[in-house]
């Protein structure tokens, strides 16, 4: 059977007992510093998350309303395409000699009836 | 909750209250744990000023971990003993690196002690002998024989098996016995 801790070296127990009765005490200054640390950590944890101090302008609200940068990209693309079409419209489309190409009345009798038929 | 009503609350409960901003819990934990941490740090370091620094740092780490403390995983004191040991190891490692020669030799001859100072002298003699032990032996002996912890808890703190704890404490005590052999009569061992 194994001997207990106290049985194997009895002389040491006197010293261990003395050590237990003469422990190093924390100074008042240390206790105060630890208290201050505790308060600081608590204060930091209790502080609400910082909110943006920047005021929201009308343009930024509109920007967010439209969907942010993805929507803005689409709008910009559509605008550029519109400008390009306006500048470089194919000449043949508005050419007076090619009216027949797009002014074809496929049902002239119907148009007549609607315009001047009996009501 | 007033401080005096918190004296019976477990450390873990006080830590939760602390994390919720309770100032009384902070004071109760400080009053309860700081002397224990300080005593342990001093026994591992043998230097009062360094022990105070380690104590403040260990307690600061406790405050910071409070919101993330997981109930039931470890005792607060177990966690603290571990943190103190790590901080002491770091401190000793740095000290060895920069000032090996500046560490004073233990006093060889000591003035005869009066009866009323006998216990204090024994405590000092033990501390001097503890300072000569390897770090792990010192930690195991202090936790087992001065802090009075059970071997399984020491094993958890030191992250080793209980058999390894027993081996460390046995070797540590043999070394202490040898170191203190010549001083037992001087320090009144025969009176016990």
């Amino acid at each position: 059977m194994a001997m207990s801790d106290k049985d194997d070296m009895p002389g040491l127990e006197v010293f261990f007992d003395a050590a237990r009765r003469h422990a190093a005490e924390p100074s008042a200054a240390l206790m105060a510093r630890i208290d201050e640390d505790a308060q600081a950590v608590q204060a930091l944890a209790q502080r609400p998350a910082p909110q943006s101090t920047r005021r929201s302008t009308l343009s930024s609200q509109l920007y967010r309303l439209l969907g942010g940068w993805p929507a803005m990209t689409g709008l910009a693309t559509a605008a550029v395409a519109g400008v390009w079409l306006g500048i470089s419209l194919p000449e043949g489309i508005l050419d007076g000699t090619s009216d027949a190409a797009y002014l074809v009345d496929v049902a002239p009798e119907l148009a007549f009836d609607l315009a001047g038929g009996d009501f | 909750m007033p401080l005096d009503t918190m004296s019976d609350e477990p450390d873990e409960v006080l830590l939760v209250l602390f994390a919720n901003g309770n100032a009384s819990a902070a004071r109760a934990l400080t009053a309860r744990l700081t002397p224990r941490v300080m005593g342990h740090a001093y026994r591992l370091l043998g230097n009062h000023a360094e022990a105070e620094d380690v104590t403040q740092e260990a307690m600061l780490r406790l405050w910071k971990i409070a919101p993330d403390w997981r109930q039931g995983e470890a005792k607060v004191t177990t966690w603290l003993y571990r943190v103190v040991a790590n901080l002491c190891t770091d401190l000793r490692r740095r000290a060895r690196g920069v000032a090996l020669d500046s560490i004073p030799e233990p006093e060889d001859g000591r003035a005869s002690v009066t009866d009323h100072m006998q216990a204090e002298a024994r405590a000092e003699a033990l501390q001097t002998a503890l300072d000569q032990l390897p770090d792990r032996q010192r930690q195991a002996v202090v936790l087992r024989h001065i802090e009075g912890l059970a071997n399984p808890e020491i094993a958890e703190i030191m992250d080793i098996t209980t058999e390894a704890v027993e081996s460390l404490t046995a070797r540590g005590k043999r070394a202490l016995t040898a170191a203190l052999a010549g001083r037992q009569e001087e320090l009144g061992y025969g009176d016990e």
Side-chain angles (χ1 to χ4, degrees):
Chain A
M1 195 174 113
M3 289 193 302
S4 75
D5 289 331
K6 290 186 180 181
D7 290 340
D8 52 4
M9 293 176 191
L12 284 180
E13 188 51 40
V14 176
F15 290 91
F16 291 141
D17 184 55
R20 280 191 289 270
R21 286 189 280 126
H22 288 85
E25 295 286 337
S27 65
L30 174 64
M31 296 294 276
R33 288 202 301 274
I34 290 172
D35 260 339
E36 283 170 19
D37 285 346
Q39 287 170 27
V41 171
Q42 276 188 325
L44 203 64
Q46 300 300 315
R47 204 166 57 187
Q51 291 182 340
S52 174
T53 54
R54 211 170 46 186
R55 288 188 65 182
S56 181
T57 60
L58 185 64
S59 59
S60 67
Q61 287 178 15
L62 183 64
Y63 176 79
R64 285 199 299 273
L65 185 70
L66 289 173
W69 70 265
M72 285 299 159
T73 306
L75 279 174
T77 306
V80 169
V83 169
W84 181 78
L85 284 172
I87 293 170
S88 61
L89 194 66
E91 289 179 5
I93 291 177
L94 296 179
D95 188 353
T97 61
S98 58
D99 282 354
Y102 64 93
L103 292 176
V104 177
D105 195 347
V106 292
E109 65 286 349
L110 183 63
F112 178 76
D113 289 342
L114 283 173
D118 299 329
F119 293 100
Chain B
M1 200 184 297
L3 184 60
D4 55 355
T5 62
M6 291 189 165
S7 57
D8 295 331
E9 296 290 349
D11 297 339
E12 289 75 14
V13 171
L14 291 180
L15 203 55
V16 171
L17 291 171
F18 170 84
N20 291 333
N22 188 311
S24 297
R27 288 195 296 274
L29 280 171
T30 301
R32 183 186 297 179
L33 297 175
T34 303
R36 207 161 168 179
V37 172
M38 176 70 193
H40 190 56
Y42 178 76
R43 282 166 192 136
L44 296 187
L45 290 168
N47 180 297
H48 203 274
E50 287 179 346
E52 286 210 338
D53 289 344
V54 164
T55 301
Q56 186 175 2
E57 177 62 26
M59 292 301 290
L60 180 60
R61 291 188 185 191
L62 180 66
W63 305 142
K64 287 182 176 174
I65 205 173
D68 303 319
W69 187 263
R70 284 182 287 192
Q71 296 283 323
E73 283 202 2
K75 285 166 65 179
V76 173
T77 47
T78 301
W79 183 88
L80 272 173
Y81 281 132
R82 203 168 187 162
V83 169
V84 168
N86 289 339
L87 290 170
C88 291
T89 301
D90 290 347
L91 202 62
R92 280 180 164 262
R93 199 171 285 152
R94 283 201 300 273
R96 280 193 199 107
V98 296
L100 190 62
D101 296 334
S102 67
I103 298 170
E105 290 295 316
E107 290 177 40
D108 214 15
R110 199 181 285 266
S112 60
V113 288
T114 56
D115 287 347
H116 70 276
M117 292 177 68
Q118 202 169 59
E120 192 175 347
R122 284 175 188 161
E124 284 178 19
L126 177 66
Q127 188 61 51
T128 303
L130 281 170
D131 290 345
Q132 308 309 308
L133 294 184
D135 289 353
R136 302 285 278 175
Q137 283 185 27
R138 182 187 319 108
Q139 187 185 1
V141 168
V142 168
L143 288 170
R144 180 75 187 94
H145 295 284
I146 301 179
E147 307 296 345
L149 303 188
N151 284 345
E153 188 174 0
I154 299 171
E156 189 183 345
I157 291 166
M158 298 183 70
D159 202 19
I160 54 178
T161 63
T162 51
E163 289 78 15
V165 173
E166 288 165 9
S167 171
L168 282 171
T169 52
R171 280 184 284 152
K173 284 193 294 183
R174 273 199 297 275
L176 288 179
T177 302
L180 294 167
R183 310 205 50 202
Q184 287 183 340
E185 194 167 334
E186 172 196 347
L187 295 168
Y189 165 58
D191 299 343
E192 303 297 323

